[in-house]
Amino acid sequence: MPLLRFGRELMAALGCFLLLALPLAGLMLGGWLAGPDGMIVGAGIGFAIALVVTAISGRALLQARRR
């Protein structure tokens, strides 16, 4: 069960990875669906979602540290 043993590090790594992956995915998907204007909007939406996920995992990490 390595995911349980390294849970805190996995949450931090996931947050960092999502900050890179989701804006790029939004950029590509927005460009494919709506062209250059959609690329900007898609990247912004991907970045906003990544920030929310990172904030949630960071809060969980802080709560786990306190226990």
Side-chain angles (χ1 to χ4, degrees):
M1 300 230 175
L3 289 179
L4 295 176
R5 185 174 174 199
F6 300 108
R8 293 178 186 158
E9 292 85 3
L10 180 65
M11 285 192 316
L14 182 64
C16 292
F17 175 72
L18 289 178
L19 280 173
L20 294 173
L22 286 178
L24 288 175
L27 186 81
M28 291 187 297
L29 187 63
W32 181 59
L33 292 174
D37 292 334
M39 292 174 75
I40 296 169
V41 173
I45 291 171
F47 186 67
I49 293 171
L51 283 179
V52 169
V53 171
T54 302
I56 291 171
S57 66
R59 181 178 165 104
L61 184 63
L62 288 176
Q63 286 179 350
R65 185 183 297 170
R66 290 182 190 152
R67 292 181 188 181

